[in-house]
Amino acid sequence: MTNAPADLPVVVIGAGPAGLAAAAAHLTQRGLAPLVLEAGPAAAHAVRGWAHVRLFSTWDEVVDPAAEKLLAPTGWTRPDPETYPSGGDWAEQYLQPLADVLGDRVRFGARVTGVSRVGRDRIVDADRDQQPFDVHITRADGREERVLARAVIDASGTWTTPSPAGGSGLAALGERAAAARITYRVPDLKDPAVRARYAGKRTAVIGSGASAFTALAYLADLAKSDDGTDTKGVWVLRRGISGSTFGGGEADQLPARGALGLAAKAAVDEGHADAVTGFRTKEIERNAEGRLALVGEDGRRLEPVDEVIVLTGFRPDLSFLNELRLGLDERLQAPVELAPLIDPNQHSCGTVYPHGHRALSHPEPGVYLVGMKSYGRAPTFLAMTGYEQVRSVAAALAGDLEAADRTELTLPETGVCCGAGLFDDPAAAQSDAAGSCATPEPELVQLGGAPVAATAGGCCGS
């Protein structure tokens, strides 16, 4: 624990689900003064970026209990707990009211550009823990400010730093030059301008998670509509098709998440998308007509497409934390104590245990990465996991280690078997009947079988 003055605020970076739960609910409940710094112009700025996407968690699973108690005196009531909010619903009906309760303890248009210790860069040991945190901010109008803090909770998420199309983790050759034809978000096909961009076009979707499922389902719906004739998806996977590719299906304890995978399967089964497996993108070439051809590491060249949707995950922006002493796993860029619990090379969602301040701590006392940011490059984060994290961190900052060390959450099982790393390991290939992962030879496949209808889609959105 840091020994910085107790009268200073706890700075929370990001006014999203985890940040507002930490500040508005748990820190306030503990008698600690929060100061939330949000780069965007409103609460839940990142969530609003996918306002059109429906979560696969119900309202009952995305409202923090402590936050609900804080909101109760304002007359706020939880929406129907059994329904599934969209990102826009979540932002407007829950997160914005939560920010309103905090009032001037939330500053919008305040981008954190650096965090350190006052008078100490990351090299200096002398009296380091006695110094408050030095948080530098750039306001929307360009003004620079400095805020001192007793502790820092980074809940800024990963939304602003999507991973590229390149199979090596770097941008594919030509990817930046083709930026006008590439998006890294699930497109809102209810927006007429966006819809026109994809209607009747051939679109590559690169990725294998919930966001890719959502994009495939949206494109399939467009293909079935009157204005979507000839719309076609090309699903580009770095691994093969196996029984676990489409998630847990009906076995998933989050039914809408299972239905989302089944919707993606239906898109392929019905011929609205072809799946290209074992394809790692090396280059994106643009032809004379402006269409894009994906070239794989193995030399394969896919038929040109009009648009590319890259949904290969996100990664944390650690640049503004460079003067702090963080303990991060070399692969996942997650806290070293947390990384073994969430490593997709070893775990599925169903084997990730709830965790708190100890798994989130760093060599620099008083700094915590929470929410999506805490998972680094690991996927499948749930909002309820973030709420448990910030409950524990707030208790630890208040000195209540008994509460901080207590687990107050039971997570649902996922039904999703394996992470990307296992698919890349030939020794890990086993039969689908065993519920694990297979690595078939790269091929263009058209899945057979009767289409399976799905009624809900969305992403974790946490």
Side-chain angles (χ1 to χ4, degrees), residues 108-128:
F108 299 112
R111 181 177 299 280
V112 174
T113 56
V115 183
S116 187
R117 295 277 190 175
V118 172
R120 306 289 188 274
D121 62 20
R122 67 184 298 161
I123 299 175
V124 179
D125 290 332
D127 297 325
R128 186 178 188 84

Side-chain angles (χ1 to χ4, degrees), residues 313-354:
F314 295 84
R315 52 188 61 179
D317 176 9
L318 301 167
S319 60
F320 60 89
L321 303 176
N322 197 43
E323 293 305 319
L324 297 178
R325 298 175 176 180
L326 302 181
L328 297 174
D329 179 76
E330 62 185 8
R331 295 168 301 161
L332 298 183
Q333 296 179 296
V336 290
E337 294 297 323
L338 176 60
L341 303 179
I342 63 175
D343 186 351
N345 291 291
Q346 304 294 331
H347 290 279
S348 70
C349 293
T351 60
V352 174
Y353 299 102

Side-chain angles (χ1 to χ4, degrees), residues 287-321:
N287 65 20
E289 291 77 35
R291 304 186 79 206
L292 306 178
L294 275 59
V295 182
E297 291 286 355
D298 58 3
R300 282 183 296 163
R301 184 187 307 271
L302 302 188
E303 182 181 339
V305 297
D306 302 288
E307 300 285 342
V308 178
I309 302 173
V310 180
L311 301 169
T312 53
F314 295 84
R315 52 188 61 179
D317 176 9
L318 301 167
S319 60
F320 60 89
L321 303 176

Side-chain angles (χ1 to χ4, degrees), residues 83-143:
T83 60
Y84 296 88
S86 66
D89 296 335
W90 201 20
E92 290 295 338
Q93 299 178 40
Y94 168 58
L95 297 171
Q96 186 61 57
L98 197 52
D100 293 341
V101 168
L102 279 176
D104 60 7
R105 291 195 177 277
V106 181
R107 297 185 189 175
F108 299 112
R111 181 177 299 280
V112 174
T113 56
V115 183
S116 187
R117 295 277 190 175
V118 172
R120 306 289 188 274
D121 62 20
R122 67 184 298 161
I123 299 175
V124 179
D125 290 332
D127 297 325
R128 186 178 188 84
D129 294 354
Q130 307 298 318
Q131 308 304 316
F133 288 97
D134 185 0
V135 182
H136 285 210
I137 307 164
T138 299
R139 302 305 297 261
D141 61 5
R143 289 182 295 117

Side-chain angles (χ1 to χ4, degrees), residues 5 181 228 270 280 286 353 460:
R181 294 290 183 93
E270 294 172 353
R280 290 170 172 79
R286 185 164 50 180
Y353 299 102
C460 171

Side-chain angles (χ1 to χ4, degrees), residues 30-54:
R30 290 282 179 177
L32 301 174
L35 176 61
V36 183
L37 302 174
E38 167 58 51
H45 180 64
V47 174
R48 295 174 194 272
W50 48 270
H52 57 292
V53 178
R54 193 161 301 280

